[in-house]
Amino acid sequence: MGKQVVIGVDVGGTNTDCVALNNDGVVVGEFKNATSADVTSSIVTGVGKVLEAVKKDGDAAIKYVVIGTTHFVNAVVEKRKEKLAKCTVLRCCGHSSHAVPPCADF
């Protein structure tokens, strides 16, 4: 099957953490950066840096990417309904949770 990596991204209110694991579960790339105001920029930067590290370890295909965030939980705890209006639950494919059907809510 060849070398594959799994990429995990955790978007927090302060930092965005990215990691890549190889077939054996060994970390082959990691990066932490400040979470950007638009969130997307910090994800793109982090995944890009992790992929640079993966390439140094040799070519590998991306098996899947998992992105998690505390933004939803923070909005609930802070009772900030203007932030909740922007939250979406979307599962296009399912490694982490089969409890949420694809495209469950918008």
Side-chain angles (χ1 to χ4, degrees), residues 8-18 33-44 47 66-74:
V9 181
D10 176 35
V11 181
T14 305
N15 292 306
T16 297
D17 301 288
C18 301
N33 63 333
T35 299
S36 57
D38 70 352
V39 181
T40 303
S41 297
S42 55
I43 294 171
V44 170
V47 170
V66 177
I67 300 177
T69 180
T70 58
H71 285 225
F72 173 77
V73 174
N74 291 347

Side-chain angles (χ1 to χ4, degrees), residues 81-88:
K81 63 182 174 184
E82 69 279 3
K83 288 186 176 181
L84 285 172
K86 298 177 185 178
C87 290
T88 300

